[in-house]
Amino acid sequence: DRDTDNPTAHLTLSTADFKRMMFGLVSASDLKAEGRLMIDGNAQAFSELASFFVSFNPRFPIMTPRPSL
């Protein structure tokens, strides 16, 4: 359920900062230090959630060239 009256943690940050964090361009600790991320509740729960995201090479070739006919 996406809606709950008692969340484990509540994040407050801009959409742009969230995307930058998910892409690994900036860390949550850097955003917190800059005052651009606030975590209310169990910050460890957020760390556990973040550990599920896989880091990958963004230049990974999703499509391969077609062979010549």
Side-chain angles (χ1 to χ4, degrees), residues 5-26:
D5 293 332
N6 190 18
T8 303
H10 178 95
L11 307 178
T12 304
L13 72 161
S14 71
T15 301
D17 283 337
F18 179 77
K19 289 178 181 178
R20 290 175 57 228
M21 187 173 55
M22 290 296 108
F23 281 115
L25 301 174
V26 66

Side-chain angles (χ1 to χ4, degrees), residues 3-4 13 15-16 19 22-23 35 40 45 48 51 59 62 67:
D3 297 320
T4 181
L13 72 161
T15 301
K19 289 178 181 178
M22 290 296 108
F23 281 115
D40 296 321
E48 290 173 15
S51 73
R59 297 178 77 67
I62 295 174

Side-chain angles (χ1 to χ4, degrees), residues 14-63:
S14 71
T15 301
D17 283 337
F18 179 77
K19 289 178 181 178
R20 290 175 57 228
M21 187 173 55
M22 290 296 108
F23 281 115
L25 301 174
V26 66
S27 70
S29 58
D30 289 343
L31 289 174
K32 281 188 73 169
E34 295 170 5
R36 296 168 60 168
L37 167 64
M38 291 190 262
I39 303 175
D40 296 321
N42 184 349
Q44 182 62 33
F46 172 67
S47 296
E48 290 173 15
L49 172 66
S51 73
F52 289 109
F53 291 97
V54 176
S55 295
F56 64 94
N57 179 355
R59 297 178 77 67
F60 179 81
I62 295 174
M63 297 179 67

